[in-house]
């Protein structure tokens, strides 16, 4: 978008939005159902004992960003599409209703808007469709384009084919070496924390996802965002917000009335955007609204 003489350039070039529990409230119940489905998958498909599910799930989520990434890290092998289909199958999508207030807010902001989610493309499109927001975003960055299936690992863009991602306790680092789990060998992460051993380290995950800073950097590259400091990142997760801040983004914590460390703004509801962030609308009246209704939503998924 070009700005003529006398027209003020907006502070931000792009608004980057998380999807689940950000564009709709936690009260819809989708998050509870997702957690239940993940636990069922671990029992029914991976044969994990029910008595270990709660503790195991908590450790995997805490140390790897998502349960899925953690399961792959400790040695479970499964089809990603099957996992997503199982986890998102039977969700109460009917609890999501068209949101004309949010739609109007999004379409009235004269800058790019992009979705950035750890979820898969099918789920993202279904949620946006239910909310009647599918034409409000220029593109969707999701599991598939963070983790292109034809690449041996998600870090090939770094020109180092021997590296994988390890997300542990809120940070992401590059480590080298082959997989620490082979065949059916499963790393005992519960034992790792209950009975620590000198020199014992957590295995890496081949999955790239938030809150890994590398995942955020890859998303920015996919979206062709070259100035992180001119991008505003909306998230309901504190650790994702903090990771975004470390990458250089301005950040908005959604679902909370008080800011936390790493959050530049806090919104109790996504509907409070205009009251809290009036600068998003402070541009010349000649700048027309951004509408993607005539442009197909692209996901840049590599086949």
């Amino acid at each position: 978008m070009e700005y003529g003489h006398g027209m003020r350039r907006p502070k931000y070039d792009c608004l980057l939005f998380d999807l689940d529990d950000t564009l709709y409230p936690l009260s819809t119940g989708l998050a509870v159902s997702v957690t239940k489905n993940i636990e069922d998958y671990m029992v029914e498909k991976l044969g994990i004992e029910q008595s270990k599910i709660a503790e195991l799930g908590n450790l995997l989520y805490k140390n790897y960003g998502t349960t899925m990434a953690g399961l792959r890290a400790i040695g479970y092998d499964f089809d990603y599409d099957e996992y997503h289909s199982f986890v998102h199958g039977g969700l109460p999508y009917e609890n999501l209703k068209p949101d004309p207030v949010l739609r109007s807010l999004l379409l009235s902001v004269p800058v790019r808007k992009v979705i950035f989610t750890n979820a898969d493309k099918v789920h993202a499109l279904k949620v946006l469709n239910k909310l009647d927001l599918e034409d409000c975003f220029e593109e969707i960055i999701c599991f598939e384009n963070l983790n292109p299936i034809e690449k041996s690992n998600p870090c090939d863009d770094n020109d180092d084919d021997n590296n994988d991602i390890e997300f542990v306790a809120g940070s992401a680092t590059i480590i080298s070496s082959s997989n620490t789990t082979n065949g059916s060998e499963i790393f005992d992460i519960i034992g790792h924390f209950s009975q620590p051993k000198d020199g014992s380290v957590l295995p890496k995950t081949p999955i790239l996802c938030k809150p890994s800073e590398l995942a955020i950097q890859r998303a920015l590259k996919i979206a062709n965002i070259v100035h992180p400091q001119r991008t505003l990142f909306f998230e309901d997760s504190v650790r994702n917000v903090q990771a975004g801040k470390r990458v250089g983004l301005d950040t908005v914590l959604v679902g909370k009335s008080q800011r936390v460390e790493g959050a530049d703004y806090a919104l109790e509801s996504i509907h409070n955007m205009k009251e809290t962030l009036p600068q998003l609308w402070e541009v010349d009246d000649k700048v027309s609204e951004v509408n993607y209704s005539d442009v197909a939503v692209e996901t840049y998924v590599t086949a």
Side-chain angles (χ1 to χ4, degrees):
M1 182 180 296
E2 296 182 358
Y3 300 92
H5 178 71
M7 296 178 66
R8 291 173 295 172
R9 183 184 183 187
K11 180 178 180 180
Y12 298 106
D13 296 326
C14 183
L15 306 184
L16 192 62
F17 289 87
D18 175 50
L19 180 73
D20 294 304
D21 303 324
T22 295
L23 295 186
Y24 62 84
L26 186 64
S27 59
T28 58
L30 264 70
V32 173
S33 294
V34 165
T35 299
K36 173 65 164 57
N37 288 352
I38 290 174
E39 292 177 347
D40 288 346
Y41 185 89
M42 292 165 70
V43 173
E44 297 176 22
K45 301 295 185 178
L46 302 181
I48 301 173
E49 295 178 20
Q50 182 70 54
S51 61
K52 296 181 178 180
I53 292 298
E55 183 178 9
L56 178 60
N58 179 62
L59 287 173
L60 296 179
Y61 180 78
K62 178 181 179 181
N63 288 283
Y64 290 100
T66 67
T67 308
M68 181 185 191
L71 287 169
R72 286 289 284 112
I74 65 174
Y76 289 98
D77 191 16
F78 48 86
D79 182 81
Y80 294 161
D81 290 338
E82 178 193 61
Y83 178 91
H84 283 128
S85 179
F86 190 102
V87 168
H88 295 137
L91 293 185
Y93 288 110
E94 66 275 7
N95 292 348
L96 299 176
K97 307 298 182 183
D99 191 337
V101 173
L102 180 55
R103 178 179 175 83
S104 177
L105 286 170
L106 292 172
L107 292 179
S108 67
V109 180
V111 296
R112 296 177 64 204
K113 291 167 284 287
V114 174
I115 291 291
F116 175 26
T117 177
N118 283 336
D120 67 317
K121 177 183 62 174
V122 171
H123 172 74
L125 290 175
K126 187 172 293 187
V127 167
L128 291 175
N129 179 264
K130 289 291 185 179
L131 296 172
D132 192 24
L133 301 176
E134 63 269 47
D135 59 347
C136 294
F137 299 94
E138 179 179 309
E139 65 183 281
I140 299 171
I141 299 170
C142 54
F143 178 86
E144 288 93 337
N145 42 25
L146 287 176
N147 299 275
I149 58 175
E150 87 284 2
K151 292 183 178 181
S152 60
N153 65 66
C155 293
D156 287 349
D157 287 337
N158 294 328
D159 297 323
D160 188 345
D161 292 337
N162 296 318
N163 288 339
D164 282 317
I165 299 299
E166 178 184 23
F167 170 77
V168 178
S171 64
T173 57
I174 295 288
I175 62 175
S176 61
S177 76
S178 58
N179 289 335
T180 55
T181 54
N182 298 302
S184 60
E185 180 184 352
I186 303 300
F187 179 83
D188 181 13
I189 191 171
I190 294 177
H192 172 84
F193 284 101
S194 62
Q195 297 178 328
K197 297 180 181 180
D198 291 341
S200 178
V201 296
L202 290 176
K204 61 186 176 293
T205 179
I207 291 177
L208 191 58
C209 62
K210 294 182 286 185
S212 161
E213 293 171 34
L214 289 168
I216 299 174
Q217 290 167 346
R218 180 172 178 84
L220 297 181
K221 184 174 182 179
I222 293 170
N224 195 29
I225 295 173
V226 295
H227 300 295
Q229 70 275 13
R230 293 188 54 80
T231 300
L232 191 58
F233 182 36
F234 293 76
E235 257 283 357
D236 68 292
S237 165
V238 171
R239 62 180 181 172
N240 291 356
V241 160
Q242 292 172 339
K245 192 63 182 176
R246 290 193 296 271
V247 169
L249 302 171
D250 276 7
T251 57
V252 183
L253 180 61
V254 180
K256 299 289 190 297
S257 58
Q258 299 294 324
R259 291 191 301 115
V260 299
E261 182 180 356
D264 295 297
Y265 307 95
L267 301 177
E268 190 167 355
S269 165
I270 194 69
H271 289 166
N272 300 135
M273 285 175 60
K274 201 160 191 175
E275 294 87 345
T276 305
L277 299 160
Q279 63 269 36
L280 295 179
W281 286 265
E282 292 175 356
V283 295
D284 193 282
D285 291 339
K286 295 179 182 179
V287 179
S288 61
E289 71 178 22
V290 176
N291 191 327
Y292 304 112
S293 58
D294 296 326
V295 181
V297 177
E298 298 182 46
T299 57
Y300 293 94
V301 176
T302 307

